[in-house]
Coordinates of all heavy atoms in Angstrom, one line a residue:
L42 N -3.5 0.5 -9.9 CA -4.2 -0.7 -10.5 C -3.9 -0.8 -12.0 O -4.1 0.1 -12.7 CB -5.7 -0.6 -10.2 CG -6.3 -1.0 -8.9 CD1 -7.8 -0.9 -8.9 CD2 -5.9 -2.5 -8.6
H45 N -7.7 -2.9 -16.4 CA -8.7 -4.0 -16.3 C -10.1 -3.5 -16.5 O -10.3 -2.3 -16.6 CB -8.6 -4.6 -14.9 CG -9.1 -3.7 -13.8 ND1 -8.3 -2.6 -13.3 CD2 -10.2 -3.6 -13.1 CE1 -8.9 -2.0 -12.4 NE2 -10.1 -2.5 -12.3
S46 N -11.0 -4.4 -16.7 CA -12.4 -4.1 -16.6 C -13.0 -4.8 -15.4 O -12.5 -5.9 -15.0 CB -13.2 -4.4 -17.9 OG -13.0 -5.8 -18.1
D47 N -14.0 -4.3 -14.8 CA -14.6 -5.0 -13.6 C -15.4 -6.1 -14.0 O -16.1 -6.1 -15.0 CB -15.4 -4.0 -12.8 CG -14.5 -2.8 -12.2 OD1 -13.3 -3.0 -12.1 OD2 -15.0 -1.7 -11.9
T52 N -20.2 -1.0 -11.4 CA -19.4 -0.6 -10.3 C -19.8 0.9 -10.0 O -19.8 1.7 -10.9 CB -17.9 -0.6 -10.6 OG1 -17.5 -2.0 -11.0 CG2 -17.0 -0.2 -9.4
L63 N -7.9 7.9 -11.5 CA -8.6 7.0 -12.4 C -8.5 7.4 -13.8 O -8.7 8.6 -14.1 CB -10.1 6.9 -11.9 CG -11.0 6.0 -12.7 CD1 -10.6 4.6 -12.6 CD2 -12.5 6.2 -12.2
N84 N -19.3 2.5 -13.6 CA -18.6 1.7 -14.6 C -19.4 0.6 -15.0 O -19.9 -0.2 -14.2 CB -17.3 1.1 -14.0 CG -16.1 2.1 -14.0 OD1 -16.1 3.1 -14.7 ND2 -15.1 1.8 -13.2
H99 N -10.2 0.3 -17.5 CA -9.7 1.4 -16.7 C -8.5 1.0 -15.9 O -8.2 -0.2 -15.8 CB -10.8 2.0 -15.8 CG -11.5 1.0 -14.9 ND1 -12.4 0.0 -15.4 CD2 -11.3 0.7 -13.6 CE1 -12.7 -0.7 -14.4 NE2 -12.1 -0.3 -13.3
F115 N -19.0 -3.0 -5.9 CA -19.1 -3.9 -7.0 C -20.5 -4.6 -6.9 O -20.7 -5.3 -6.0 CB -18.0 -4.9 -7.0 CG -16.6 -4.3 -7.1 CD1 -15.9 -4.1 -6.0 CD2 -16.1 -3.8 -8.3 CE1 -14.6 -3.5 -6.0 CE2 -14.9 -3.2 -8.4 CZ -14.2 -3.0 -7.2
L156 N -5.6 -9.7 -12.3 CA -6.3 -8.5 -12.6 C -5.6 -7.9 -13.8 O -4.6 -7.1 -13.6 CB -6.3 -7.5 -11.4 CG -7.1 -6.2 -11.6 CD1 -8.6 -6.5 -11.7 CD2 -6.8 -5.2 -10.5
Ligands
FE2_202 FE1 -11.9 -1.5 -11.5

Side-chain angles (χ1 to χ4, degrees):
L42 273 182
H45 66 283
S46 58
D47 296 337
T52 305
L63 178 65
N84 275 344
H99 55 284
F115 302 98
L156 185 70

